[in-house]
């Protein structure tokens, strides 16, 4: 097994990687502004925009009313008229309040207008359970947006990915939704100081292996790496693939991995039913059916709203142990 | 009105006539099945689009509605590209991908008709924010109806427009109906402009059948926005001669024919022509010529559209993303 990592420069937490990406991008391009609830004076409730107001001023770092449709429309109208907005939707659950702007307007404007519109708009939001914030502040709803033509969706798995994908998202001339995960904001890793891009639509083999592929998104990448260690005791050599971008999905890299290992499981924190893992599994079976030695497995949250009580939430959360258990089940090795 | 230049008056009249002609011919083509889908026609409301748009530059933006043809005609839209779009042809404004409800011309600042009621206001504040951010004195006119004034999007946008003092003008075309539901059955107030006070912006009620009243009120609001003094809410009382969709409009369950006829007594184009005649600016013959010229132009546009090719089937998967490479995610 080899683990591929970013060049060893310095270790910073995920949250700082995001904030640094914002600041460096804004220095580079005066048409970039960021708007959202409490992004300016307070520096965002997650700290992702801390320091931006001081450096760039209130014209470019805009505190908004709590009005997600208005905020999203602000980004849309500004993007359609020459600016490159970053719109912060505090919790991904709040995307429900501005779905028309995202799904009916932003995603479709270019197509409906015969290709004329250009919307260089980044929507940044925070997903994930595990903080006892209950059912309306904990969801992972990325599959909703992957289903809508016109949108791109990225889901970073760590600090290095958070910065590089954010840079690519903001520089992209399409609407891109960046789904960060609140429970890994403190995760530290090597992050280059300079601006760098991780190309959208390219998966990353984060751990090479020979006889099982786990395709994991967001926080589940680090959980899958732990699961891979657990499974190595069973003699399994697990490959972990991080798609990084969910839409467009890098079918090629994932399928190449499965053709090599002959077994696959998809892990995400979102509810399993109708999750993005279902699409990934379908694509794997379409493209690598003859190579598969076992059904494609999926680990995700059970089909329930996210509960409040820590005991229930622990039961809800997908983890390394659950991933490892599902791999063993697939292989007919009941725990 | 006497201090309004003659060429401006004639320009407003001409825009109104072109809108009506465009719409009446489009209605016939929809009824005969030549234009696919649904048309929401602007007939009866022409004074609003013409009276507002005559103040605007190409670099000023507008957001429009499902009833959007009139807005684009008045903003200077190309009638051939408009008709080609209604016919679903490759030469249309949107290459046949948008149709009536998404007709747009970004070069003219027309940010799209819209199939979602109330979608315009949030987009309009974004464009207005951009105007201010980029240091221009361009303004954004947000057209919407009485129906949309009940959507949360309007309220969010109005609040933010006033808060940030954005150069946006909320142009409420109160035609008395949200689809087929009369205003008093969809909101408890009579004057929608009353809502403006709740957001800290001026709200004015204006006769929307009187193009000159529209012109004057819009001129003040637009000048205010250009000066950096913030948004204004203009409510224009107007009337939709036809149905929500299509042409009919009379002999319908949701209103009396007598009401339609009463409004038609104050037809905006007839009203304007009477005034122009009174001022000696346009004779009956002169007016007839304007109508004939508009009809000739519209017929030419229809001929262009009907002679235009449909999109290639391969165009289905084009224009989804700005760069095709890597986009689409397969499947």
């Amino acid at each position: 097994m080899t683990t591929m990592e970013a060049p060893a420069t310095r270790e910073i937490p995920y949250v700082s990687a995001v904030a640094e990406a914002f600041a460096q991008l804004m220095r580079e391009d005066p048409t970039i502004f960021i708007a959202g609830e409490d992004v300016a004076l307070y520096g965002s409730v997650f700290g992702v925009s801390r320091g931006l107001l001081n450096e760039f001023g209130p014209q470019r770092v805009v505190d908004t009313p709590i009005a997600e449709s208005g905020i999203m429309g602000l980004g849309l109208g500004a993007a359609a008229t020459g600016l490159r907005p970053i719109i912060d939707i505090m919790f991904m659950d709040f995307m429900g309040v501005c779905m028309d702007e995202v799904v009916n307007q932003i995603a479709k404007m270019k197509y409906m207008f015969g290709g004329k519109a250009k919307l260089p708009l980044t929507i940044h939001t925070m997903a994930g359970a595990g903080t006892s914030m209950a059912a309306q502040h904990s969801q992972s709803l990325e599959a909703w947006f992957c289903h809508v033509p016109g949108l791109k969706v990225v889901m970073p798995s760590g600090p290095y990915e958070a910065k590089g994908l954010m840079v690519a998202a903001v520089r992209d001339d399409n609407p891109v939704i960046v789904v960060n995960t609140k429970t890994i904001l403190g995760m530290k890793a090597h992050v280059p100081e300079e601006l760098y891009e991780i190309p959208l639509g390219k998966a990353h083999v984060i751990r090479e292996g020979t006889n099982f592929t786990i395709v994991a998104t967001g926080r589940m990448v680090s959980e899958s790496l732990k699961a891979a260690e657990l499974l190595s005791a069973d003699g399994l050599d697990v490959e972990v693939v991080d798609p990084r971008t969910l839409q467009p999905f890098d079918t090629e890299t994932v399928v190449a991995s499965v053709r090599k290992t002959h077994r696959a499981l998809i892990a995400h924190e979102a509810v399993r039913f109708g999750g993005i893992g279902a699409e990934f599994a379908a694509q794997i079976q379409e493209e690598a059916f003859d190579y598969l030695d076992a059904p494609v497995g999926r680990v995700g949250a059970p089909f329930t709203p996210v509960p409040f009580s820590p005991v229930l939430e622990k039961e809800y959360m997908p983890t390394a142990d659950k991933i490892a258990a599902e791999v063993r089940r697939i292989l007919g090795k009941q725990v | 009105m006497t201090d309004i230049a003659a060429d401006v008056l004639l320009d407003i009249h001409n825009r109104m006539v072109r809108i009506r002609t465009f719409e009446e011919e489009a209605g016939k083509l929809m009824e005969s099945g030549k234009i696919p889908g649904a048309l929401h026609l602007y007939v009866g409301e022409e004074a609003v689009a013409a009276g507002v748009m005559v103040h605007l530059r190409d670099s000023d933006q507008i957001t429009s509605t499902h009833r959007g043809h009139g807005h684009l005609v008045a903003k200077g839209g190309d009638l051939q590209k408009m008709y080609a779009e209604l016919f679903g042809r490759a030469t249309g404004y949107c290459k046949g991908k948008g149709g009536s409800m998404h007709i747009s011309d970004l070069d003219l600042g027309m940010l799209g008709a819209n199939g979602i009621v109330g979608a315009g206001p949030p987009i309009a504040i974004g464009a207005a924010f951009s105007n201010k951010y980029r240091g221009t004195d361009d303004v954004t006119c947000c057209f919407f109806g009485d129906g949309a004034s009940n959507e949360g999007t309007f309220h969010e946008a109005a609040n933010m427009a006033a808060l940030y003092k954005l150069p946006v003008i909320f142009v409420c075309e109160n035609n008395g109906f949200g689809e087929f539901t009369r205003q008093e059955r969809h909101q408890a107030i009579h004057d929608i402009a009353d809502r403006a006070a709740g957001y800290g912006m001026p709200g004015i009620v204006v006769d929307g059948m009187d193009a000159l009243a529209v012109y004057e009120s819009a001129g003040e609001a637009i000048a205010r926005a250009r000066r950096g003094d913030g948004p204004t809410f203009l409510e224009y009382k107007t009337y939709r001669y036809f149905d929500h969709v299509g042409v009919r409009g009379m002999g319908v369950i949701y209103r009396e024919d007598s009401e339609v006829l009463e409004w038609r007594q104050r037809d905006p184009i007839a009203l304007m022509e009477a005034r122009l005649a009174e001022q000696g600016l346009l004779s009956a013959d002169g007016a007839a010529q304007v109508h004939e010229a508009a009809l000739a132009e519209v017929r030419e546009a229809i001929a262009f559209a009907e002679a235009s090719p449909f999109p290639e089937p391969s165009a289905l998967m084009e224009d989804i993303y700005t760069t095709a490479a890597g986009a689409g995610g397969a499947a």
Side-chain angles (χ1 to χ4, degrees):
Chain A
M1 162 217 119
T2 56
T3 300
M4 292 161 67
E5 291 201 354
T9 47
R10 67 193 164 132
E11 285 207 343
I12 59 170
Y14 193 118
V15 63
S16 305
V18 177
E20 185 172 274
F22 286 153
Q24 291 180 342
L25 284 161
M26 289 177 77
R27 276 174 217 143
E28 174 187 74
D29 182 350
T31 67
I32 297 173
F33 73 94
I34 181 165
E37 294 153 9
D38 290 318
V39 296
L41 187 62
Y42 198 75
S44 115
V45 298
F46 295 105
V48 290
S49 55
R50 204 154 289 159
L52 297 182
L53 177 64
N54 280 345
E55 182 174 353
F56 301 103
Q59 191 200 13
R60 298 186 64 193
V61 187
V62 184
D63 273 332
T64 64
I66 300 170
E68 286 78 7
S69 294
I71 300 166
M72 200 57 78
L74 187 84
L76 164 56
T81 54
L83 301 185
R84 191 171 288 273
I86 300 167
I87 295 301
D88 183 61
I89 296 296
M90 193 184 282
F91 287 82
M92 189 167 207
D93 315 71
F94 304 170
M95 294 288 276
V97 194
C98 52
M99 280 300 267
D100 182 65
E101 284 67 33
V102 177
V103 171
N104 283 326
Q105 312 297 333
I106 289 167
K108 296 175 173 54
M109 186 180 262
K110 182 175 182 66
Y111 192 81
M112 292 190 304
F113 292 2
K116 253 193 144 177
K118 189 177 89 172
L119 291 180
L121 169 68
T122 302
I123 300 167
H124 170 258
T125 193
M126 206 62 79
T131 59
S132 274
M133 291 292 282
Q136 297 171 342
H137 289 71
S138 303
Q139 293 169 90
S140 297
L141 300 171
E142 62 277 4
W144 286 6
F145 302 99
C146 293
H147 188 62
V148 179
L151 300 177
K152 294 185 181 183
V153 181
V154 307
M155 201 157 181
S157 56
Y160 176 77
E161 288 79 6
K163 181 172 174 182
L165 288 168
M166 182 62 78
V167 173
V170 173
R171 286 177 177 167
D172 198 280
D173 283 340
N174 295 284
V176 183
I177 303 180
V178 178
V179 184
N180 280 322
T181 303
K182 60 178 81 73
T183 45
I184 55 175
L185 290 176
M187 179 197 283
K188 284 189 173 177
H190 299 301
V191 176
E193 275 189 72
E194 68 273 14
L195 272 176
Y196 61 95
E197 274 186 46
I198 295 177
L200 302 185
K202 294 281 176 230
H204 175 225
V205 179
I206 194 164
R207 184 189 199 275
E208 288 186 353
T210 56
N211 53 20
F212 202 101
T213 297
I214 299 177
V215 183
T217 64
R219 185 178 71 83
M220 285 300 111
V221 173
S222 45
E223 292 298 310
S224 296
L225 291 173
K226 286 182 216 162
E229 293 302 321
L230 297 172
L231 291 164
S232 66
D234 300 22
L236 272 181
D237 183 15
V238 175
E239 180 148 302
V240 179
V241 184
D242 174 6
R244 290 179 166 171
T245 309
L246 310 186
Q247 180 61 273
F249 177 58
D250 183 356
T251 307
E252 201 181 319
T253 299
V254 169
V255 166
S257 174
V258 177
R259 286 182 176 178
K260 180 177 73 176
T261 64
H262 306 290
R263 299 163 191 90
L265 174 142
I266 296 119
H268 55 59
E269 194 181 304
V271 166
R272 207 176 87 119
F273 189 99
I276 194 65
E279 175 66 32
F280 294 175
Q283 292 204 21
I284 290 167
Q285 286 171 110
E286 282 168 354
E287 301 296 325
F289 184 76
D290 290 340
Y291 296 81
L292 286 170
D293 289 345
V296 179
R298 288 182 294 148
V299 169
F303 196 67
T304 171
V306 182
F308 164 69
S309 169
V311 170
L312 294 176
E313 195 176 33
K314 186 162 178 281
E315 183 70 15
Y316 174 90
M317 298 289 283
T319 59
D321 287 340
K322 290 178 186 174
I323 293 166
E326 184 61 12
V327 169
R328 292 187 184 110
R329 195 188 70 80
I330 289 169
L331 295 174
K333 294 181 179 178
Q334 299 296 337
V335 180
Chain B
M1 96 176 208
T2 43
D3 54 0
I4 303 172
D7 61 334
V8 172
L9 296 173
L10 293 169
D11 186 357
I12 295 171
H13 172 254
N14 187 45
R15 290 182 202 226
M16 288 199 288
V17 172
R18 289 173 79 241
I19 294 170
R20 177 154 308 177
T21 311
F22 184 98
E23 294 292 67
E24 286 179 342
E25 295 303 308
K28 288 178 203 163
L29 291 163
M30 177 192 160
E31 297 283 306
S32 67
K34 284 192 169 178
I35 287 178
L39 298 184
H40 306 84
L41 299 169
Y42 196 69
V43 175
E45 306 181 27
E46 296 90 345
V48 183
V52 171
M53 237 67 85
V54 76
H55 292 286
L56 300 183
R57 316 160 178 160
D58 286 356
S59 56
D60 292 320
Q61 305 93 355
I62 63 167
T63 59
S64 177
T65 69
H66 55 288
R67 205 172 304 290
H69 309 162
H71 301 141
L72 183 51
V73 172
K75 192 80 169 51
D78 179 326
L79 303 195
Q80 296 195 344
K81 288 184 184 171
M82 288 185 73
Y83 260 107
E85 190 58 33
L86 300 190
F87 277 93
R89 305 301 165 108
T91 52
Y93 258 120
C94 312
K95 302 185 197 165
K97 288 175 174 169
S100 164
M101 274 192 282
H102 306 296
I103 207 155
S104 67
D105 186 341
L106 296 180
D107 295 332
L108 291 175
M110 201 297 197
L111 301 178
N114 210 303
I116 305 293
V117 170
I123 301 171
I125 61 164
F129 177 91
S130 170
N131 293 337
K132 192 172 171 176
Y133 188 100
R134 291 180 287 111
T136 74
D137 68 344
D138 291 334
V139 302
T140 311
C141 286
C142 172
F143 290 85
F144 64 105
D146 49 303
S149 77
N150 297 328
E151 290 277 11
T153 48
F154 159 69
H155 297 270
E156 294 190 15
N159 180 52
M160 289 170 75
L163 177 70
Y164 299 141
K165 266 192 155 184
L166 296 178
V168 60
I169 298 93
F170 292 99
V171 182
C172 181
E173 301 175 311
N174 180 358
N175 66 16
F177 297 91
E179 298 206 6
F180 301 100
T181 301
R182 186 178 288 280
Q183 189 196 351
E184 66 242 32
R185 294 179 60 233
H186 74 62
Q187 55 193 191
I189 54 171
H190 179 68
D191 293 330
I192 307 170
D194 289 350
R195 291 183 171 172
Y199 298 105
M201 75 175 98
I204 300 159
V205 179
V206 182
D207 177 1
M209 305 306 265
D210 179 348
L212 300 185
V214 174
Y215 174 80
E216 285 178 341
S217 53
E220 282 175 34
I222 289 165
R224 185 169 181 273
R226 287 204 203 287
R227 285 198 307 269
D229 290 340
T232 303
F233 186 106
L234 302 171
E235 178 185 0
Y236 294 115
K237 308 273 194 194
T238 182
Y239 199 76
R240 187 186 75 205
Y241 288 3
F242 296 159
D243 274 347
H244 166 63
V245 175
V247 173
R248 210 161 57 139
M250 302 265 280
V252 293
I253 196 167
Y254 66 96
R255 67 185 185 190
E256 298 293 332
D257 288 355
S258 58
E259 179 182 289
V260 181
L261 295 170
E262 205 175 300
W263 278 90
R264 279 179 176 265
Q265 288 296 310
R266 297 194 64 253
D267 180 77
I269 294 175
L271 205 59
M272 186 67 165
E273 286 174 357
R275 284 182 172 174
L276 289 170
E278 199 179 291
Q279 286 201 313
L281 293 173
L282 191 68
S283 64
D285 279 354
Q289 277 172 27
V290 172
H291 287 264
E292 279 162 25
L295 188 58
E297 190 190 0
V298 164
R299 285 190 173 150
E300 201 180 313
I302 293 167
F304 168 81
E306 287 189 307
S308 289
F310 281 102
E312 293 294 328
S314 61
L316 176 70
M317 298 305 290
E318 293 168 2
D319 303 321
I320 305 167
Y321 292 93
T322 288
T323 45

